[in-house]
Amino acid sequence: MTALPDLSQSVFSHEEIVALLSVVDPQDVEAVRAAAEKVLLKECGNGVYLRGLIEASNVCRCDCHYCGIRKSNTKVRHYTLAQNDILLLAQQAANLGYGSIVIQTGERQNKTFLDALEKTIQLIKTETVSDALPQGIGITLCIGEQTEETYRRLFKAGAHRYLLRIETTNPVLFSRIHPADQHFETRVHCLQRLKKIGYQVGTGVMIGLPGQTIEDLANDILFFKEQDIDMIGMGPFIPHPDTPLGGVACPDEATRLHLGHMMIAATRLVLRDVNIAATTALQALDPAGRERAFRFGANVMMPLMTPGEAREDYNLYPGKPNLKETNNDYQVSFSAFLNEIGRTLGQNQWGDAPHASRGGGNSPPFSS
Ligand code: 5AD
């Protein structure tokens, strides 16, 4: 049994991160959790920021072996939201005080789709009305690998944050869970391109993939740090029956859920001033799993705004909870939950990670 590292330090070695992720004894778990919460409050404050999640299209050119909306899954009913629907959802997000939205789609690189998206972003920026948001509503994109030119156009149109998960930083595992035409290096280049253009950049991994080790997960956290990442979104892997990984053995649900929370805490301890989302996959494994993540260092919530008919078709993994998160009662009870744990709902703010305005972490704090 490995001893816990010094939890008050700000630089952790690979071995120490492995030790953080390996804790199972409830007292040790609590010590790591409390340390992560302390770092969060010191570096980011007690606000929890909202991004209204709009799953704008489930059409995808990729065939990732884990994903329910993969190209080869013929059971998927395809949809693309109309521009006007997206504009209405953006206005609804502003009215609810969310401050920002995430537009997520399958990976599509065709011109018609990208031109329409560019226009939609411009219209959201100019037409969403809110006195509380003088710079307009914040827009995060999550639309996969694209060319540098596309990333630039969409940035210029008004998107300022981008999420692109690396899924795993073990290149062998990466190639096992993706078809041969998808490359780990391409993802890394995309992340670097996004950063260079000026986006605040988010990435993340799936936790509990078949064959993934604790050492891999520790490397993932070090990768986030090396790449100077501003935002993290990660959650447990959930096998989808209509995918090639659907029947492959992976750790049991309780282990994946536990590791999901420990990854959040360890990432908070190592990266400190980044935004970390409490993801829906945590909730798919346990109704309280996502809210628990806020106690382990998460500070971003992404209420699902996709309209009813479409949300069933954006089925990345089974058991995705069909949440009524945009109704007022939900917001009141979520806010009450946050108050109980000493946090506040950060309304009408973009809620950028402090890391992004600190000029990034290119010079790591390895002073001695
Ligand atoms: N289990 C958990 N997460 C998944 N994703 C896709 N499929 C699954 C699954 N079966 C995640 C990937 C992707 C994000 C949009 O959803 O990490 O980047």
Side-chain angles (χ1 to χ4, degrees):
M1 173 103 219
T2 352
L4 269 186
D6 172 7
L7 295 172
S8 66
Q9 62 189 348
S10 56
V11 179
F12 290 81
S13 66
H14 181 260
E15 206 185 342
E16 288 171 328
I17 301 172
V18 169
L20 292 175
L21 296 175
S22 305
V23 299
V24 281
D25 178 89
Q27 269 183 2
D28 289 346
V29 172
E30 175 52 22
V32 175
R33 187 207 68 75
E37 189 169 61
K38 195 168 161 197
V39 169
L40 168 71
L41 295 175
K42 174 164 183 270
E43 303 284 345
C44 303
N46 72 351
V48 167
Y49 301 100
L50 299 160
R51 287 91 176 80
L53 177 58
I54 303 173
E55 295 155 333
S57 171
N58 65 353
V59 177
C60 191
R61 63 189 279 273
C62 299
D63 224 6
C64 306
H65 298 334
Y66 45 85
C67 184
I69 64 166
R70 67 198 303 266
K71 184 175 57 180
S72 303
N73 183 4
T74 50
K75 293 190 189 162
V76 176
R77 264 183 317 188
H78 287 126
Y79 74 87
T80 301
L81 297 186
Q83 183 173 75
N84 204 41
D85 291 337
I86 301 177
L87 291 175
L88 288 173
L89 289 169
Q91 184 61 56
Q92 190 190 358
N95 297 347
L96 286 160
Y98 287 178
S100 67
I101 54 171
V102 176
I103 300 179
Q104 186 176 76
T105 68
E107 189 171 292
R108 301 176 68 175
Q109 297 180 333
N110 71 76
K111 188 171 174 336
T112 320
F113 171 76
L114 292 170
D115 287 351
L117 180 62
E118 180 182 26
K119 187 75 202 157
T120 306
I121 294 169
Q122 286 163 348
L123 288 173
I124 292 172
K125 287 308 266 193
T126 51
E127 293 193 0
T128 307
V129 187
S130 168
D131 291 343
L133 295 165
Q135 290 180 281
I137 195 158
I139 303 179
T140 306
L141 292 179
C142 180
I143 61 162
E145 295 176 7
Q146 302 288 347
T147 62
E148 176 155 351
E149 193 225 327
T150 299
Y151 286 151
R152 269 189 206 288
R153 271 170 68 193
L154 301 178
F155 185 72
K156 205 162 156 242
H160 83 288
R161 296 187 288 231
Y162 201 103
L163 306 170
L164 180 67
R165 289 192 182 179
I166 193 76
E167 314 297 359
T168 172
T169 59
N170 176 334
V172 176
L173 184 55
F174 186 98
S175 60
R176 239 188 277 142
I177 64 171
H178 293 104
D181 62 353
Q182 275 177 255
H183 303 285
F184 175 76
E185 293 75 21
T186 312
R187 284 272 159 117
V188 178
H189 286 148
C190 284
L191 290 171
Q192 292 168 347
R193 234 173 246 164
L194 289 161
K195 190 108 218 172
K196 189 175 79 183
I197 292 168
Y199 284 97
Q200 293 170 30
V201 177
T203 193
V205 294
M206 284 178 288
I207 301 156
L209 286 162
Q212 188 182 42
T213 64
I214 297 278
E215 285 73 18
D216 291 333
L217 292 169
N219 279 330
D220 295 342
I221 295 178
L222 288 172
F223 171 89
F224 302 156
K225 180 155 178 144
E226 269 159 34
Q227 296 292 323
D228 193 21
I229 291 300
D230 303 299
M231 297 121 55
I232 308 289
M234 56 191 170
F237 164 64
I238 304 175
H240 189 303
D242 301 322
T243 65
L245 288 185
V248 181
C250 67
D252 64 30
E253 285 192 2
T255 306
R256 280 180 277 138
L257 184 67
H258 168 74
L259 264 180
H261 290 126
M262 296 321 292
M263 274 293 279
I264 291 176
T267 301
R268 176 59 68 198
L269 286 171
V270 178
L271 276 85
R272 303 180 72 83
D273 58 359
V274 296
N275 276 347
I276 304 181
T279 55
T280 320
L282 289 163
Q283 184 145 357
L285 292 186
D286 174 353
R290 181 165 57 159
E291 295 195 341
R292 193 163 153 76
F294 292 105
R295 311 218 58 201
F296 282 72
N299 65 335
V300 167
M301 164 79 167
M302 294 161 64
L304 189 59
M305 301 196 79
T306 312
E309 331 74 78
R311 62 171 72 181
E312 283 162 38
D313 299 325
Y314 206 90
N315 194 7
L316 304 175
Y317 47 80
K320 193 174 121 180
N322 187 5
L323 307 158
K324 303 273 179 296
E325 296 175 332
T326 49
N327 75 24
N328 210 36
D329 292 352
Y330 180 84
Q331 189 136 315
V332 169
S333 72
F334 182 59
S335 182
F337 159 75
L338 290 179
N339 288 337
E340 258 169 53
I341 64 166
R343 310 282 284 283
T344 57
L345 197 59
Q347 286 191 293
N348 294 312
Q349 295 170 57
W350 283 6
D352 291 332
H355 185 80
S357 53
R358 288 183 186 145
N362 275 329
S363 41
F366 303 123
S367 47
S368 58

